[in-house]
Amino acid sequence: MSKIIVIGSISMDLVMETNQIPNQGETVFGEQFSMVPGGKGANQAVAIGRLSNERDKVYMIGAVGKDAFAEQLLMNLKENQIDMSFVGTVPQSTGVAQITLYEKDNRIIYCPGANAKVSTNDWQEEWDLLKNADLVVLQNEISHETNLAIAQFCHEHQVKVIYNPAPARKTDFELLEYVDFITPNEYESQQLFANQNQEAMLKAYPNKLIVTLGEKGSVFYDGNNIKQVPAIKSEVVDTTGAGDTFNGALAYALANQLSTESALKFATLASHLSVQKFGAQGGMPTLEEMKENKAYEKEWTFK
Ligand code: RIB
């Protein structure tokens, strides 16, 4: 049983699949266009929602605009068992990500719209909700000020926070002392720690800094040794949202008392399954789908 709160972006992903990337001033033909739910915050919430059972609670705090995208995105959150009592509507366009899918990998331009309006300024009930959470999850598609205020509050009230510094920004460093887990990918870790070598950065944050390395898995320092959790080889269809699936599954496992290493293995399996289908949320597994995989471990029991 867990109560997890994700605060972050809710966006519509406009995905163009192409065999050619245009040069400046050039027009090329795409293969296929799709609109699918996305936004790093919503993706992470959905990843947790899919793994959850009826005793778990997943809340999303965020904002959508007043447009047709908002309706579809809210419906999608509801279908994935996310409590949306704290998702606001603001007079803006809903967040949008323009995604180019080329050679099974993505390039993203993100326009925050309503997501930029997520702010703690008028919060009352939200603070009470946070105080009673098992875990709070943050990423970087809402403002730094909002993230910082939440991280400081959670730190003061001893509520654990996973901070996924994606996309990287210069101010990320200010949050680190207030959060419990930091989950950059390799590129984001270089941005965050000004090109320090990996061993030095991991050792500076024992049991706290987890660097994801794509096909090489993930690494953290447990206080004695640097531990690497290998990735599982996948038939990749689309890597979009793999990091969000990883963070969502990690949150679910940690909130349910798995050790860091075991939670990382659980998250690795979830992201292995997610990249085998199209769309950020398309391949996010349910717990039943996880259990069908031979890499599922007996000790992963969830009440
Ligand atoms: O992490 C993937 C997500 O980031 C996409 O769903 C898109 O919304 C982008 O901002």
Side-chain angles (χ1 to χ4, degrees):
M1 191 168 78
S2 59
K3 185 173 177 182
I4 304 177
I5 299 154
V6 182
I7 302 134
S9 55
I10 305 168
S11 307
M12 186 59 89
D13 288 355
L14 310 182
V15 189
M16 183 74 81
E17 293 172 68
T18 181
N19 293 328
Q20 263 179 293
I21 299 285
N23 292 314
Q24 176 120 27
E26 187 190 13
T27 302
V28 298
F29 278 68
E31 303 302 309
Q32 176 112 10
F33 173 74
S34 323
M35 287 199 311
V36 287
K40 292 185 194 300
N43 291 345
Q44 294 177 10
V46 168
I48 302 165
R50 295 252 172 98
L51 295 167
S52 295
N53 62 44
E54 58 290 347
R55 291 181 299 281
D56 297 314
K57 279 297 273 177
V58 192
Y59 292 85
M60 175 91 216
I61 303 183
V64 291
K66 280 193 176 156
D67 49 28
F69 287 167
E71 242 169 77
Q72 295 172 41
L73 294 173
L74 293 178
M75 177 89 75
N76 174 62
L77 289 176
K78 197 166 166 210
E79 283 168 4
N80 283 285
Q81 282 72 53
I82 315 294
D83 188 311
M84 302 181 302
S85 319
F86 299 97
V87 176
T89 300
V90 296
Q92 299 271 321
S93 54
T94 297
V96 166
Q98 182 200 303
I99 302 183
T100 304
L101 193 58
Y102 172 69
E103 293 182 338
K104 297 177 183 167
D105 218 335
N106 59 62
R107 291 151 202 243
I108 303 180
I109 303 176
Y110 165 61
C111 186
N115 294 318
K117 298 288 167 196
V118 179
S119 151
T120 58
N121 288 347
D122 304 322
W123 280 17
Q124 284 174 355
E125 285 176 59
E126 289 87 340
W127 293 128
D128 288 334
L129 186 73
L130 289 191
K131 263 191 226 163
N132 296 304
D134 293 316
L135 198 67
V136 166
V137 186
L138 299 172
Q139 343 67 33
N140 274 351
E141 288 188 334
I142 57 172
S143 81
H144 170 70
E145 291 68 32
T146 301
N147 272 349
L148 185 60
I150 295 165
Q152 286 173 330
F153 177 89
C154 288
H155 184 69
E156 196 182 316
H157 292 87
Q158 293 172 353
V159 176
K160 287 203 162 35
V161 176
I162 294 185
Y163 172 47
N164 174 220
R169 56 186 166 204
K170 288 202 172 76
T171 45
D172 291 348
F173 206 80
E174 290 174 26
L175 263 93
L176 304 190
E177 64 180 293
Y178 304 111
V179 301
D180 300 273
F181 298 95
I182 314 158
T183 58
N185 64 22
E186 212 166 3
Y187 170 77
E188 289 149 2
S189 72
Q190 293 299 323
Q191 301 293 303
L192 202 50
F193 299 105
N195 299 319
Q196 265 183 51
N197 76 52
Q198 196 174 80
E199 185 176 337
M201 59 175 104
L202 289 172
K203 286 191 167 167
Y205 293 92
N207 286 306
K208 176 164 174 169
L209 176 63
I210 295 162
V211 181
T212 58
L213 305 169
E215 287 172 0
K216 285 182 268 154
S218 55
V219 278
F220 76 107
Y221 176 64
D222 72 358
N224 295 310
N225 298 300
I226 291 181
K227 297 220 161 163
Q228 178 150 10
V229 174
I232 305 171
K233 206 166 167 25
S234 312
E235 285 294 321
V236 176
V237 172
D238 182 2
T239 56
T240 314
D244 298 330
T245 308
F246 183 93
N247 276 280
L250 180 69
Y252 187 70
L254 290 171
N256 281 282
Q257 315 306 328
L258 262 59
S259 69
T260 307
E261 191 171 0
S262 194
L264 284 175
K265 288 184 186 165
F266 183 80
T268 301
L269 175 57
S271 57
H272 158 72
L273 295 172
S274 82
V275 298
Q276 298 177 39
K277 291 195 183 148
F278 173 78
Q281 298 175 13
M284 287 176 176
T286 61
L287 193 61
E288 277 56 47
E289 288 165 336
M290 293 274 284
K291 284 180 180 167
E292 283 162 15
N293 192 286
K294 61 179 188 316
Y296 195 89
E297 296 191 7
K298 279 196 203 83
E299 67 173 273
W300 296 341
T301 51
F302 300 95
K303 296 198 180 110

